[in-house]
Amino acid sequence: MLQSYISAATALAMFALASPAEEAHVTGSQSGRPRARDIGLAIGVLEPGPLNAITDVPGVKVGHKTIVEGDSTRTGVTAILPHGGNMFRHKVPAAIAVGNGFGKLIGVTQVDELGVIETPIVLTNTLSAFLAADALVQYMLEMPGNENVLSVNPVVGETNDGYLNDIRSRGVRAKDVRAAITAAASGPVVEGSVGAGTGTRCMGWKGGIGTSSRRLTESLGGCTIGVLVQTNFDGVLTIAGAPVGQELGRYYLMDEKRKVDSPGSCMIVVATDAPLDARQLGRLAHRALLGLATVGSPMKHGSGDYVIAFSTAKKEPYQREVSRFETVTLMRDEALSPLFQAAREATEEAIINSLLRATTVTGYRERMVEAIPIDRVVEICRRHGAIQD
C-alpha cells in the first residue's frame, strides 16, 4: 500500500480544489497523499482517536474555504467550532499560550481575562485577519438569540502566506469566512493545501492544515485531546528523531538565502473534552509548544506561534442564575500529566500530517513550493528507525 501512495504523490497535479462542503468531508486517503500512520509512522506512545483528528473531541467541527483565483491568489479560511450551537450564549473555557508573539492573533486579552471563547475560531492570512474578525462579528450578531448583543470578542489567528499569495490584495472576503463556518462538520478533516493552509510553507516545503488526536484510557481519565495546526514556519525538520530536513538538504541556516527568505508562524488549536478550567487549559496549551519544538522549530524572531486551547466539557451560559456561587467539576492538577503528553504528541503528528498531505502549489509571481517527497521521507525515516518494517 505504501508504494501506491508514493506513486499517487508523484502523479499529483499542481493543485486540486474542492468545494467547501467537499473539503469538510474529504478523508486522508482521498488526496492521493498519505498521513503519518499510512506510511507506518506512529508518533509517541498514546493511541489516537478513531479519526486521528481534532473532531474526535465530541461536538467539535471544522470547515474550510479555499480561495484560488487567477495566478496570484492562494489563500483561504479555516474555522473550528467548539460546538454547533450559539457560541456567544454558550461559551467554552479557553486559554491562549504565546510561544513567540510576532503575530496578529485577535481576541487574546478578553480570553486571558475571562477564560472563555464566545465565537468560532477562525484562521486565515495575516492581512485578512481583520476582515475575518469583522465578518465573524457580523455572523455572531445575526445568530438567533443574539439580537440584543452589544459586544463580541472574535478569535482570529493568522500566518503570513505572502510568498505564494498576493497578500496585499486581501483576497479573503466576508462571504469566505461565512462559507468556512457554515461548511464546518464533524468527521474526517481535510488536510494539506486547503483553507487557511492553501498558501503556507513549512521548513522548506509546502505546509498547510494538519490534525491529530489522542484518546486516554479510562484509567487515565478517558478523555480525548485533538489538535489542528496551520503550519507556516521554518526550522530543521525532524520526524520521530530522523533528521529529514538535513538529509533532504532544506533547513534553516543552511545558507544565506534561506536565512532571509523563510516564513514564520504556526497556529495551534487544542480541543479536549476533559473538564478543565482556563488556568488548566493554559498549562495544556503550553505543552503543545513542545510538539512544535520536537519537529524542529526554533520559534524564530518573526514567527507568530500561538496555541488556543478549549474544553467542551462545560458550557458557560451568557446569563447566569441569580446565585453568586457555582459548583464545578474539574480534573485534579496531578491528573493532568497524561493530557500534557497527549497534547505534545498530537501537535507533533498534526504538523507532520500537514507536510505529508500538502500538495505542490504554484502561485504569486509564478513562485512554486514543492510538496515534501513521500518516498524520500519514508526512506530516511526507515533508515533512522522511525519507521519499522
Side-chain angles (χ1 to χ4, degrees):
M1 185 171 67
L2 176 58
Q3 185 59 47
S4 66
Y5 279 121
I6 295 171
S7 299
T10 304
L12 281 173
M14 280 194 176
F15 215 97
L17 294 179
S19 71
E22 290 171 334
E23 290 170 355
H25 295 92
V26 174
T27 64
S29 62
Q30 285 179 304
S31 76
R33 291 180 62 88
R35 308 182 79 200
R37 289 175 188 261
D38 294 331
I39 61 174
L41 190 61
I43 302 297
V45 298
L46 298 172
E47 290 297 318
L51 298 172
N52 196 11
I54 194 172
T55 47
D56 281 320
V57 178
V60 175
K61 299 181 177 183
V62 175
H64 301 298
K65 172 60 179 177
T66 299
I67 306 170
V68 175
E69 296 174 353
D71 58 5
S72 297
T73 301
R74 302 289 184 271
T75 193
V77 181
T78 295
I80 302 96
L81 280 59
H83 62 75
N86 186 327
M87 284 288 299
F88 187 85
R89 307 198 73 82
H90 299 284
K91 312 173 198 298
V92 296
I96 293 172
V98 181
N100 191 66
F102 199 120
K104 315 299 179 286
L105 178 57
I106 297 169
V108 176
T109 58
Q110 184 168 312
V111 176
D112 284 347
E113 186 72 19
L114 302 183
V116 294
I117 284 178
E118 62 186 28
T119 70
I121 299 163
V122 169
L123 305 178
T124 188
N125 75 63
T126 303
L127 294 187
S128 295
F130 315 102
L131 178 145
D134 183 70
L136 183 53
V137 167
Q138 188 62 36
Y139 174 83
M140 296 302 296
L141 292 177
E142 292 175 1
M143 289 195 76
N146 292 351
E147 292 80 5
N148 298 318
V149 169
L150 301 179
S151 173
V152 177
N153 185 51
V155 176
V156 177
E158 52 76 29
T159 70
N160 194 310
D161 58 13
Y163 183 79
L164 283 171
N165 174 50
D166 179 10
I167 196 169
R168 288 176 58 89
S169 71
R170 305 176 73 187
V172 175
R173 294 144 295 194
K175 67 178 183 179
D176 300 318
V177 177
R178 188 178 294 264
I181 296 172
T182 56
S186 56
V189 176
V190 67
E191 301 168 285
S193 307
V194 294
T198 300
T200 63
R201 299 180 288 162
C202 189
M203 293 189 282
W205 306 96
K206 183 66 185 70
I209 299 297
T211 190
S212 184
S213 70
R214 294 295 184 272
R215 186 166 58 180
L216 300 182
T217 62
E218 289 302 319
S219 64
L220 296 176
C223 303
T224 299
I225 296 281
V227 173
L228 182 140
V229 297
Q230 176 194 19
T231 60
N232 192 52
F233 61 93
D234 207 355
V236 184
L237 177 60
T238 304
I239 297 180
V244 175
Q246 290 174 268
E247 295 212 13
L248 290 179
R250 295 190 188 184
Y251 56 91
Y252 178 51
L253 298 182
M254 67 173 287
D255 57 41
E256 289 298 316
K257 182 177 185 297
R258 289 276 295 138
K259 266 173 44 176
V260 175
D261 183 22
S262 57
S265 301
C266 185
M267 289 299 311
I268 304 169
V269 180
V270 179
T272 183
D273 56 0
L276 307 182
D277 63 12
R279 178 186 63 83
Q280 294 172 318
L281 286 164
R283 299 185 71 198
L284 182 68
H286 279 93
R287 271 56 178 195
L289 292 169
L290 297 175
L292 181 60
T294 302
V295 297
S297 169
M299 290 191 286
K300 291 167 51 182
H301 162 72
S303 191
D305 302 311
Y306 298 93
V307 184
I308 305 170
F310 64 85
S311 169
T312 62
K314 180 178 182 292
K315 297 179 177 64
E316 301 281 352
Y318 171 53
Q319 294 179 322
R320 297 178 180 274
E321 299 297 326
V322 177
S323 173
R324 295 177 181 271
F325 307 96
E326 65 177 340
T327 301
V328 297
T329 299
L330 294 176
M331 183 171 283
R332 296 176 63 89
D333 277 4
E334 52 266 41
L336 294 179
S337 292
L339 275 72
F340 294 165
Q341 178 71 19
R344 192 208 66 76
E345 288 185 13
T347 301
E348 181 182 358
E349 187 166 342
I351 292 169
I352 295 168
N353 282 337
S354 77
L355 281 160
L356 296 179
R357 297 281 285 143
T359 52
T360 296
V361 173
T362 299
Y364 186 47
R365 295 179 175 172
E366 299 184 349
R367 295 167 178 161
M368 182 181 73
V369 179
E370 296 174 290
I372 197 167
I374 302 297
D375 53 351
R376 292 283 286 124
V377 170
V378 171
E379 183 269 318
I380 295 167
C381 286
R382 180 176 287 130
R383 182 156 37 83
H384 287 273
I387 294 176
Q388 302 294 328
D389 290 323

